[in-house]
Amino acid sequence: RKVNDPPLCNHQSRSSASWYVPVEGCIVQLPDGFHKWPSPWPARLSDIPPSLPSSGPDAEESFRKDTVHWSSLISEVYMSGGFNVNWSSVRNVVDMNAGYGGFAAALIDEPLWVMNVVPVDQPDTLSVIMDRGLIGVYHDWCESFNTYPRSYDLLHASFLFRNLTSRCGVIEVAAEMDRILRPGGYLLIQDDSETLKRIAPLLKSLHWSVSVLRDQFVVCKKGFWRPSVS
């Protein structure tokens, strides 16, 4: 360009940050590797994303392992009869801690769609999710989640609760999940046993059916309970 206006963004800054940061009047530079069109859909789901963080030598291997992990977990665990999830009733899904988007990618053959959420206090992987052809947003789970114009059929939270910031706790997030999940909807949680021991009683107090499986999963179904009028 003859005139550097607006300028290119500083590589040292988190150019894709969107939460409590001032808007910069600059153009985000494309990362190395953006020199060709992405693979056709759905091959791009499993291709190495150009925006994959390259801070470590094992980034590509980590991405591949994550893809295999979620493919196995979905087919061998989440879709198994022991989880008692009626997947035929599930259309709208939120992955509350999406990472690379492996959960959504593993469900690509199912008749549903997944909103991938990257918590603002977790590694910034939203560009990786977008490169895979998936959709996603940043969000701070200490605040309300914009669900307009729908509620969701299933919420998925993998190791979300143990990483909550000090600004809020499990109670606040549980109340928000109760708000955005439709009656009859499902919640799937994977976390360590100590975290599950704190979460399960709280969800039962909301009159949800709660099952703890394999000491690392909680499967919940939201009921139709409403406070009685005295």
Side-chain angles (χ1 to χ4, degrees):
R1 296 180 299 166
K2 293 183 179 180
V3 179
N4 188 31
D5 185 25
L8 296 176
C9 296
N10 184 354
H11 261 311
Q12 301 302 319
S13 65
R14 187 185 173 200
S15 57
S16 56
S18 64
W19 220 259
Y20 298 128
V21 293
V23 177
E24 298 182 45
C26 60
I27 299 175
V28 177
Q29 301 182 55
L30 294 176
D32 296 336
F34 268 89
H35 56 271
K36 61 180 181 180
W37 288 103
S39 302
W41 177 267
R44 63 189 298 183
L45 276 172
S46 54
D47 285 354
I48 299 298
S51 60
L52 184 70
S54 56
S55 56
D58 300 325
E60 292 188 7
E61 183 64 21
S62 175
F63 174 81
R64 291 191 178 96
K65 287 183 177 179
D66 182 79
T67 301
V68 172
H69 164 75
W70 282 111
S71 179
S72 300
L73 193 62
I74 292 293
S75 61
E76 299 173 9
V77 180
Y78 285 174
M79 292 291 184
S80 68
F83 269 49
N84 293 322
V85 174
N86 180 12
W87 286 95
S88 64
S89 68
V90 175
R91 294 292 179 270
N92 309 318
V93 179
V94 175
D95 189 0
M96 300 175 68
N97 188 19
Y100 291 143
F103 175 78
L107 288 169
I108 195 60
D109 292 328
E110 300 298 322
L112 52 80
W113 68 276
V114 180
M115 173 60 75
N116 295 282
V117 178
V118 177
V120 295
D121 58 344
Q122 295 300 302
D124 182 2
T125 55
L126 186 58
S127 56
V128 173
I129 291 170
M130 298 293 192
D131 286 347
R132 301 183 80 173
L134 303 170
I135 59 174
V137 294
Y138 296 113
H139 185 61
D140 183 347
W141 284 112
C142 291
E143 301 182 11
S144 296
F145 185 66
N146 185 358
T147 60
Y148 180 84
R150 59 174 59 82
S151 57
Y152 286 90
D153 302 319
L154 186 143
L155 307 180
H156 175 251
S158 178
F159 298 103
L160 170 73
F161 292 94
R162 67 180 181 181
N163 294 318
L164 288 178
T165 67
S166 58
R167 293 200 303 110
C168 66
V170 174
I171 293 178
E172 290 83 358
V173 179
E176 180 64 3
M177 291 191 300
D178 186 59
R179 185 185 71 83
I180 67 178
L181 185 66
R182 69 165 175 82
Y186 299 93
L187 168 65
L188 301 180
I189 300 175
Q190 181 184 18
D191 223 305
D192 59 73
S193 58
E194 290 301 316
T195 301
L196 297 185
K197 288 179 182 178
R198 292 190 294 119
I199 296 173
L202 179 60
L203 297 175
K204 288 180 181 179
S205 72
L206 296 173
H207 296 265
W208 292 16
S209 64
V210 179
S211 301
V212 179
L213 304 174
R214 307 186 185 187
D215 292 327
Q216 60 175 317
F217 299 101
V218 166
V219 182
C220 307
K221 185 175 183 180
K222 181 178 177 179
F224 289 83
W225 176 85
R226 290 293 181 271
S228 58
V229 179
S230 57

